[in-house]
Amino acid sequence: MEQWGNNMANLLVDRGLPLNLALEEISHYRDVIGKIIKEEAKRNDFSFDAFYQIISHFNLIVDNAIQFVSKSYVKDYTEKINYAQYAIDELSVPVVRMTEEIGILPLVGDLDTKRAQYLMESALEKGSQYKLKWLIIDLSAVPIIDTMVADQLFKVIAGLQLIGIEVVISGIRPEIAQPMVNLGIKVEEIRSFSSLHQAVQYTNSFTESLI
């Protein structure tokens, strides 16, 4: 019964079907088999105690089937949602390689603490994988950053600097700068530009001067 429940749940999740389809089917078979048990009890002249024992055991089996399907469905569905969320997060924090040494991380939309944490992991992983020397973090499309996220953002910058990647920030507006000032962050230690174009020009000119 447990194996059947797992298989049924997997089938529903894979095909994007709701849980109530399985529950309705189980309910249907409860009625059908219940009627068969009743007719067999009449035909064999079961005592009330014997009939009660049989129907109680049958209901227990059906209840277990519902439980197995429900638990397995929730588990499989949650795993699928988590995997989809991971893919969305990965796409929402794209490190784009502009040259052999320069990468751009364009952030779009709201930055919450969860996304900021993924930002740190992705930036460090991709920066190291691409062997970047510069990473431009563009905040032009980020509407606002609270103090917690600003703190996390500068932990990302510190982490990148520890592995030898220089960070340039572009697109800082007054509403984003305010939380940074509130944190006491020394922004003069980090190169920042009002536009991505200026940041790209700066990193290009800096790398070209070293050639």
Side-chain angles (χ1 to χ4, degrees):
M1 186 61 69
E2 183 174 3
Q3 184 61 48
W4 175 85
N6 291 335
N7 292 340
M8 175 62 72
N10 290 337
L11 181 65
L12 292 173
V13 172
D14 288 344
R15 297 188 179 182
L17 300 173
L19 176 61
N20 67 287
L21 285 181
L23 300 184
E24 288 171 2
E25 185 173 348
I26 293 172
S27 179
H28 170 71
Y29 282 115
R30 185 200 291 268
D31 291 339
V32 171
I33 298 174
K35 290 176 182 177
I36 293 173
I37 293 174
K38 183 181 71 172
E39 294 302 321
E40 286 297 314
K42 285 181 180 179
R43 186 177 297 110
N44 291 280
D45 196 22
F46 285 3
S47 68
F48 177 79
D49 288 341
F51 177 74
Y52 178 79
Q53 184 177 5
I54 292 170
I55 205 70
S56 295
H57 183 65
F58 169 66
N59 282 327
L60 178 62
I61 292 173
V62 175
D63 290 342
N64 283 337
I66 293 173
Q67 186 178 38
F68 288 137
V69 172
S70 300
K71 284 184 176 180
S72 186
Y73 182 89
V74 170
K75 176 177 175 291
D76 292 347
Y77 190 77
T78 301
E79 288 177 354
K80 189 171 184 178
I81 290 295
N82 289 339
Y83 180 81
Q85 185 61 52
Y86 177 84
I88 291 170
D89 289 340
E90 189 172 33
L91 289 172
S92 68
V93 187
V95 176
V96 181
R97 195 172 187 175
M98 190 175 73
T99 68
E100 287 293 321
E101 298 182 342
I102 304 172
I104 301 176
L105 178 54
L107 298 177
V108 179
D110 293 331
L111 272 179
D112 54 18
T113 51
K114 180 182 177 183
R115 192 174 175 213
Q117 177 61 37
Y118 187 82
L119 164 63
M120 171 175 276
E121 296 171 2
S122 179
L124 291 173
E125 179 186 348
K126 295 297 183 182
S128 177
Q129 178 185 338
Y130 294 156
K131 296 181 173 58
L132 299 177
K133 291 186 178 179
W134 294 85
L135 181 64
I136 301 170
I137 299 179
D138 183 57
L139 305 175
S140 301
V142 177
I144 194 166
I145 296 176
D146 61 27
T147 53
M148 290 184 64
V149 174
D151 182 50
Q152 188 72 25
L153 179 61
F154 278 86
K155 286 179 180 177
V156 173
I157 294 171
L160 289 166
Q161 289 173 337
L162 283 175
I163 62 174
I165 300 175
E166 293 295 329
V167 179
V168 175
I169 298 180
S170 65
I172 295 182
R173 301 183 308 283
E175 57 268 32
I176 293 179
Q178 186 63 45
M180 298 178 180
V181 174
N182 291 339
L183 284 170
I185 295 170
K186 297 179 180 179
V187 291
E188 64 269 15
E189 296 178 0
I190 303 168
R191 295 295 303 177
S192 62
F193 298 89
S194 59
S195 70
L196 177 59
H197 176 71
Q198 292 173 331
V200 170
Q201 278 189 325
Y202 171 78
T203 53
N204 276 335
S205 64
F206 196 92
T207 54
E208 287 169 2
S209 66
L210 297 177
I211 298 175

